[in-house]
């Protein structure tokens, strides 16, 4: 205890003697942090979902940097798409779009009609209709899928990155807005990049709205349950400072503001409030029986170490997420750890400085609703803890059995990475996307990256052609396959050359720039598979089938054929989540157990894991009961729950150890620990849960499902700390003296 106090004693003296200097420093650092926050980088989707140092990531970049080609789709709707005026207007629009940097081509039904009419548009609708009716079926379905919808294609230059492609989008939108069109004709823009831009804008708006609602709900609950404390709003002020510091450090360390960072934000709101509530509650308790300086000294030297240990356990739960190869989850973990650290340090020095500056004095006991409610609640918790301790074994058996059922059933919960699990079905961008994919198939083809097969030889070309034919025959999801053998066929009367001389002759007739779109060099080439629209799970099965088909064909020795491109981003993501979801949870348990045993050097330290195991199992049962699937955010629920829940359980255990040292009575200590810590934990838990409940009303399913899962996780963690922890402590029934701690604690 003496060594722990020695570590925090200087902090307490600093807070007691320099509160104004501390606050001035915090304000200056917050201003500097806001400036540094402007340096926070963004990140492409592929960098969020795929480890670019892995073999798959390296091939993805090799393909994307050379062959990646984005396509914008213009959805043209009107009652008479054969109107010559409309076709002429489309030709003018295409001309404007082609002038935009990085646009390679723009093609619509107007070009096809003009090609079949001597380079001009016919003068009547009847002539246009005659031409379109005579077109091959695949051409009609590509450009004129039905009588009231036509599709035009804006192809971005090969090798242009997603970021650069997104810079093209505003200019295309402007060209469409300024186009002259016949009355009743509309043009909507879709395709991968336009869709992602519209989706990101809608999600940011929804997320900002939800965060504001989250903060308002947390303030409301804090005002109701914490109003027995003077200056009940101090935790929110400290939270804001902590977030400022976190954003500043993110800018300095160049931590990207990707989807993982956004998902971590609600977690930080809850935990940041919680740390401040713990310090506030303990100071109010101590201030009732001692001077302000003495109360602050006791608060910092007692609560400071306890919350620090809880923070470390929480951080280890998040650190378990680094086992996954998914960069976005790494960012989620990094931002979460950084955020809770900033919140802790801010509260450690900031709360005392504010309390001294405001000349904090406790409110009279039983003042207000919460003043009457919380003491009675704490007393009832104490009684309940005593009863639970008397029936510890039955309580633990029931809780663990229920959890075991949930854990065993967790494998039956589906992992859904589909757009439907992330995007509201009535989102305008989604409606346009669905309209196009229903008639034109998927926006995103599946490229096969082929290395080690010489495309200048008959054997090489023949094997690739055989592969393409076999894959297309075996998979009904394929709409078409574009390959170098197909190009050679088109230049040789529909047949492949059977001898080297004929092949050399045909290759010599192909322009180098056209040949370059199919191969990097003689032994590295690309096959592009266009598919029908599929869900992510169907895409996963499709990629597996293609890989199995390739393996069955036995590629030539020394060669490899690898699916890559944007098509594989979500399929590989789904597989990675399946593999790492349970590994993250298990590693979180192991890390926290080892840490607590090293800190306390007694088996009492293992007691927080019992409620955590229960909470993980209860979460699974709740998801099954509510018909929820795992998505990209809820996939980290296990390790996240361990991180969040460990804070509550460790604080209860810490207060138990402190009470045991003071009284020497384990039974009384359990009751006092639950009474004194339970009320503060309940306030912080309900404040956190209320904040997350705002996510339930988010229009995006990925956010609402995350909110629902997190609300249950927080409530279950709260129940575990005040109901299961007393039973776990009673089962161990040992005294854990403070002197058993390591010097580092």
């Amino acid at each position: 205890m003496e060594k722990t106090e020695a570590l925090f004693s200087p902090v307490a003296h600093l807070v007691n003697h320099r509160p104004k200097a501390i606050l001035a420093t915090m304000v200056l650092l917050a201003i500097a942090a806001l400036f540094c926050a402007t340096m926070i980088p963004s990140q492409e989707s592929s960098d969020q979902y795929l480890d670019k140092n892995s073999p798959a990531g390296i091939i993805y970049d090799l393909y994307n940097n050379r062959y990646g080609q984005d396509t914008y789709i213009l959805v043209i709707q009107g009652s008479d798409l054969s109107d010559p005026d409309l076709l002429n207007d489309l030709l003018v629009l295409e001309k404007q779009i082609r002038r935009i940097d990085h646009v390679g081509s723009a093609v619509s039904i107007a070009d096809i009609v003009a090609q079949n009419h001597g380079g001009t548009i016919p003068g009547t609708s009847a002539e246009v209709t005659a031409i379109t009716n005579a077109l091959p079926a695949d051409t009609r379905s590509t450009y004129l899928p039905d009588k009231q919808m036509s599709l035009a294609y804006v192809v971005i230059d090969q090798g242009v990155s997603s970021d650069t492609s997104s810079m093209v989008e505003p200019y295309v939108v402007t060209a469409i807005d300024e186009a002259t069109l016949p009355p009743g004709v509309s043009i909507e823009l879709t395709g991968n990049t336009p869709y992602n831009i519209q989706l990101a804008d809608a999600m940011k708006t929804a997320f900002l709205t939800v965060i504001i609602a989250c903060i308002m709900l947390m303030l409301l609950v804090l005002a109701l349950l914490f109003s027995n404390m003077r200056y009940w709003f101090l935790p929110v002020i400290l939270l804001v400072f902590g977030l400022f510091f976190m954003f500043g450090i993110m800018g300095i360390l160049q931590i990207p503001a990707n989807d993982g960072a956004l998902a971590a934000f609600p977690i930080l709101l809850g935990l940041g409030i919680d740390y401040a509530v713990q310090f506030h509650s303990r100071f109010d308790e101590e201030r009732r029986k001692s001077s302000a300086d003495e109360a602050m000294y006791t608060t910092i030297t007692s609560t400071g170490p306890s919350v620090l240990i809880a923070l470390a356990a929480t951080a280890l739960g998040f650190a378990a997420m680094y086992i996954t190869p998914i960069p976005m989850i790494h960012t989620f973990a990094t931002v979460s750890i950084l955020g809770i650290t900033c919140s802790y340090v801010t509260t450690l020095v900031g709360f005392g400085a504010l309390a001294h500056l405001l000349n904090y004095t406790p409110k009279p006991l039983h003042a207000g609703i919460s003043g009457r409610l919380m003491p009675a609640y704490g007393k009832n918790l104490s009684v309940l803890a005593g009863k639970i301790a008397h029936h510890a074994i039955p309580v633990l058996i029931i809780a663990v059995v229920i959890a075991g059922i949930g854990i065993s059933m967790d494998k039956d919960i589906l992992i859904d990475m589909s757009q439907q699990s992330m995007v509201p079905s009535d989102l305008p961008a989604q409606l346009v996307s669905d309209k196009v994919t229903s008639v034109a198939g998927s926006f995103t083809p599946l490229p096969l990256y082929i290395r080690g097969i010489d495309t200048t030889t008959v054997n090489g070309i023949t094997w690739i052609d055989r592969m393409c034919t076999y894959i297309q025959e075996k998979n009904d999801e394929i709409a078409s396959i574009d390959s170098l053998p197909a190009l050679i066929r088109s230049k040789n009367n529909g047949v492949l050359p059977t001898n080297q001389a004929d092949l050399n002759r045909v290759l010599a007739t192909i322009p180098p720039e056209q040949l370059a779109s199919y191969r990097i060099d003689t032994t590295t080439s690309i096959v592009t598979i266009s598919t029908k629209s599929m869900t992510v799970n169907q895409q996963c099965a499709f990629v597996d089938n293609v890989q199995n088909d390739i393996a069955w064909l036995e590629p030539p020795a020394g060669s490899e054929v690898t699916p890559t491109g944007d098509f594989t981003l979500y399929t590989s993501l789904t597989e990675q989540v399946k593999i790492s979801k349970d590994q993250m949870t298990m590693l979180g348990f192991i890390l926290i157990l080892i840490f607590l045993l090293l800190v306390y050097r007694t088996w009492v330290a293992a007691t927080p894991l019992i409620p955590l195991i229960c909470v993980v199992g209860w979460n699974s049962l709740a998801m099954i009961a509510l018909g929820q699937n795992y998505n990209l955010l809820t996939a980290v629920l296990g390790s996240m729950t361990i991180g969040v829940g460990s804070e509550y359980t460790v604080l209860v255990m810490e207060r138990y150890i402190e009470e045991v040292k003071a009284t020497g009575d384990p039974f009384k200590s359990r009751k006092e620990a639950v009474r004194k810590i339970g009320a503060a934990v309940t306030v912080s838990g309900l404040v956190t849960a209320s904040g997350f409940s705002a996510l339930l009303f988010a229009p995006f399913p990925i956010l609402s499902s995350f909110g629902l899962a997190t609300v249950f996780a927080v409530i279950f963690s709260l129940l575990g700390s005040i109901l299961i922890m007393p039973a776990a402590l009673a089962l161990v029934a040992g005294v854990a003296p403070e002197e058993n701690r390591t010097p580092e604690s």
Side-chain angles (χ1 to χ4, degrees):
M1 178 67 178
E2 290 76 10
K3 293 181 179 179
T4 301
E5 185 173 336
L7 290 174
F8 285 83
S9 178
V11 179
H13 286 302
L14 178 66
V15 171
N16 280 335
H17 293 92
R18 297 286 186 272
K20 292 182 179 178
I22 289 173
L23 289 176
T25 302
M26 286 174 58
V27 171
L28 291 175
L29 288 176
I31 294 171
L34 287 176
F35 172 76
C36 294
T38 61
M39 299 185 292
I40 297 175
S42 58
Q43 193 173 44
E44 290 190 18
S45 295
S46 63
D47 291 323
Q48 296 188 48
Y49 303 141
L50 189 61
D51 178 6
K52 293 304 182 66
N53 294 317
S54 67
I58 292 171
I59 291 176
Y60 177 91
D61 276 346
L62 285 172
Y63 163 78
N64 231 37
N65 293 337
R66 174 60 189 271
Y67 292 106
Q69 193 163 36
D70 201 3
T71 300
Y72 290 15
I73 300 176
L74 278 60
V75 184
I76 306 152
Q77 293 179 289
S79 58
D80 183 11
L81 298 180
S82 62
D83 180 3
D85 290 338
L86 169 60
L87 299 188
N88 281 308
D89 291 338
L90 290 179
L91 290 178
V92 174
L93 173 60
E94 291 171 37
K95 186 177 180 180
Q96 295 298 321
I97 291 175
R98 290 192 197 102
R99 292 175 177 172
I100 299 171
D101 288 342
H102 305 297
V103 171
S105 65
V107 183
S108 72
I109 190 64
D111 297 279
I112 307 301
V113 170
Q115 288 171 13
N116 287 271
H117 193 260
T120 62
I121 300 297
T124 66
S125 295
E127 292 176 277
V128 172
T129 302
I131 292 173
T132 55
N133 287 342
L135 293 174
D138 59 341
T139 303
R140 280 204 311 276
S141 64
T142 300
Y143 294 97
L144 204 62
D146 63 45
K147 293 181 179 180
Q148 294 186 330
M149 181 169 68
S150 178
L151 303 178
Y153 301 88
V154 177
V155 181
I156 307 302
D157 291 333
Q158 271 191 340
V160 170
S161 68
S162 298
D163 280 349
T164 303
S165 178
S166 65
M167 294 169 64
V168 174
E169 190 260 1
Y171 296 101
V172 176
V173 170
T174 299
I176 293 171
D177 291 342
E178 294 178 351
T180 301
L181 299 170
V185 175
S186 65
I187 298 180
E188 295 175 295
L189 184 64
T190 188
N192 276 334
T193 295
Y195 174 84
N196 288 334
I197 290 172
Q198 296 168 40
L199 182 62
D201 290 343
M203 196 164 198
K204 286 176 183 176
T205 301
F207 196 83
L208 180 62
T209 303
V210 164
I211 289 298
I212 293 173
C214 176
I215 293 173
M216 297 303 294
L217 282 171
M218 293 173 75
L219 279 170
L220 177 62
V221 175
L222 197 63
L224 290 174
L225 299 181
F226 207 54
S227 58
N228 59 316
M229 302 289 169
R230 194 173 298 279
Y231 307 122
W232 58 266
F233 50 84
L234 287 183
V236 179
I237 296 175
L238 294 168
L239 171 66
V240 171
F241 272 103
L243 291 176
F244 282 173
F245 299 148
M246 180 197 73
F247 289 135
I249 296 173
M250 284 179 66
I252 294 171
L253 299 181
Q254 291 294 282
I255 299 172
N258 61 21
D259 294 343
L262 292 178
F265 197 70
I267 303 288
L268 302 180
L269 293 180
L271 290 177
I273 286 281
D274 182 60
Y275 296 151
V277 166
Q278 297 300 328
F279 276 85
H280 198 151
S281 298
R282 183 62 183 264
F283 178 74
D284 191 88
E285 176 188 336
E286 298 296 333
R287 185 67 180 86
R288 294 181 185 278
K289 53 190 179 186
S290 60
S291 67
D293 284 357
E294 291 173 344
M296 190 58 65
Y297 184 89
T298 303
T299 298
I300 291 176
T301 57
S302 297
T303 304
S306 300
V307 175
L308 178 61
I309 292 171
L311 178 148
T314 300
L316 288 173
F318 289 128
M321 297 178 190
Y322 289 118
I323 197 175
T324 179
I326 303 171
M328 192 196 82
I329 295 180
H330 292 177
T331 305
F332 177 89
T334 300
V335 172
S336 296
I337 294 171
L338 177 62
I340 61 176
T341 303
C342 289
S343 295
Y344 172 78
V345 174
T346 301
T347 300
L348 181 67
V349 298
F351 172 77
L354 285 170
H356 280 312
L357 193 65
L358 294 170
N359 194 24
Y360 186 102
T361 54
K363 286 184 176 181
L365 287 173
H366 310 302
I369 297 176
S370 64
R372 295 188 296 272
L373 176 64
M374 297 314 291
Y377 174 72
K379 183 178 180 180
N380 289 331
L381 282 183
S382 178
V383 174
L384 181 61
K387 293 181 179 179
I388 289 173
H390 281 302
H391 303 89
I393 293 178
V395 168
L396 290 177
I397 289 175
I398 293 171
V400 171
V401 167
I402 294 173
I405 294 171
I407 292 171
S408 66
M409 296 176 66
D410 183 78
K411 64 181 182 298
D412 298 325
I413 302 176
L414 295 177
I415 297 175
D416 186 2
M417 299 290 174
S418 65
Q419 292 287 0
Q420 288 76 13
S421 74
M422 303 183 186
V423 182
S425 58
D426 59 349
L427 187 73
Q430 187 63 42
L431 292 173
V432 177
S433 173
D434 291 342
K435 190 185 302 179
V436 175
T437 56
S438 66
V439 295
S442 173
F443 292 155
T444 310
L446 172 63
L448 301 180
Y449 191 82
I450 305 171
R451 293 191 292 185
I453 297 180
D454 192 342
T455 54
T456 63
T457 65
V458 171
N459 287 340
I461 288 294
T462 301
W463 191 90
I464 294 175
D465 184 66
R466 176 170 165 247
M467 177 192 71
C468 294
T469 302
Y470 183 76
I471 290 175
Q472 187 153 18
E473 289 175 351
K474 297 286 288 185
N475 297 277
D476 294 335
E477 300 90 345
I478 294 176
S480 64
I481 297 180
D482 188 20
S483 66
L484 184 55
L487 176 64
I488 293 172
R489 283 181 185 276
S490 70
K491 302 290 185 179
N492 195 48
N493 300 318
V495 297
L496 279 182
T498 56
N499 61 71
Q500 192 62 45
D502 287 344
L503 177 59
N504 292 341
R505 174 182 54 79
V506 175
L507 288 174
T509 65
I510 301 175
E513 61 274 11
Q514 188 176 13
L515 204 57
S517 64
Y518 292 91
R519 68 185 190 190
I520 296 176
D521 53 45
T522 57
T523 60
T524 308
S525 61
I526 292 293
V527 168
T528 304
I529 303 175
S530 297
T531 68
K532 300 173 183 176
S533 181
M534 291 183 281
T535 66
V536 171
N537 290 332
Q538 289 171 333
Q539 289 178 347
C540 288
F542 174 70
V543 172
D544 287 341
N545 290 338
V546 170
Q547 289 176 314
N548 291 334
D549 292 340
I550 293 169
W552 186 86
L553 288 168
E554 297 182 354
S559 66
E560 60 178 334
V561 182
T562 307
T564 188
D566 289 341
F567 193 100
T568 63
L569 274 183
Y570 285 104
T571 60
S572 62
L573 187 64
T574 301
E575 294 303 318
Q576 289 167 357
V577 167
K578 287 179 181 177
I579 294 170
S580 58
K581 179 173 68 70
D582 294 334
Q583 292 176 346
M584 289 188 290
T585 303
M586 184 58 65
L587 181 60
F589 279 125
I590 293 172
L591 290 176
I592 291 175
L593 176 61
I594 293 173
F595 169 73
L596 293 178
L597 290 177
L598 287 174
V599 170
Y600 294 101
R601 298 185 181 181
T602 171
W603 285 108
V604 171
T607 54
L609 266 70
I610 298 175
L612 294 181
I613 292 171
C614 293
V615 172
V616 169
W618 298 346
N619 280 342
S620 298
L621 286 177
M623 290 189 70
I624 293 170
L626 296 170
Q628 296 287 300
N629 295 329
Y630 282 117
N631 58 38
L632 187 56
L633 293 183
T634 55
V636 301
L637 186 63
S639 52
M640 186 192 75
T641 298
I642 294 170
V644 174
S646 63
E647 199 236 335
Y648 299 151
T649 55
V650 168
L651 287 174
V652 172
M653 181 185 68
E654 264 285 330
R655 193 59 185 256
Y656 165 76
I657 291 173
E658 185 179 334
E659 294 296 330
V660 164
K661 181 177 178 8
T663 66
D665 184 346
F667 179 75
K668 183 179 179 182
S669 297
R670 284 190 294 272
K671 295 178 64 176
E672 284 298 291
V674 173
R675 182 181 70 83
K676 293 178 177 179
I677 274 294
V681 165
T682 299
V683 170
S684 59
L686 291 179
V687 168
T688 302
S690 66
F692 280 120
S693 68
L695 292 172
L696 298 176
F697 305 101
F700 284 78
I702 189 172
L703 293 179
S704 59
S705 62
F706 180 64
L708 181 63
T710 310
V711 166
F712 275 99
V714 171
I715 292 175
F716 288 154
S717 297
L718 177 60
L719 293 175
S721 66
I722 61 179
L723 298 181
I724 308 302
M725 267 303 285
L729 291 170
L731 185 65
V732 175
V735 178
E738 286 283 316
E739 54 266 30
N740 281 348
R741 284 190 189 175
T742 60
E744 290 78 6
S745 66

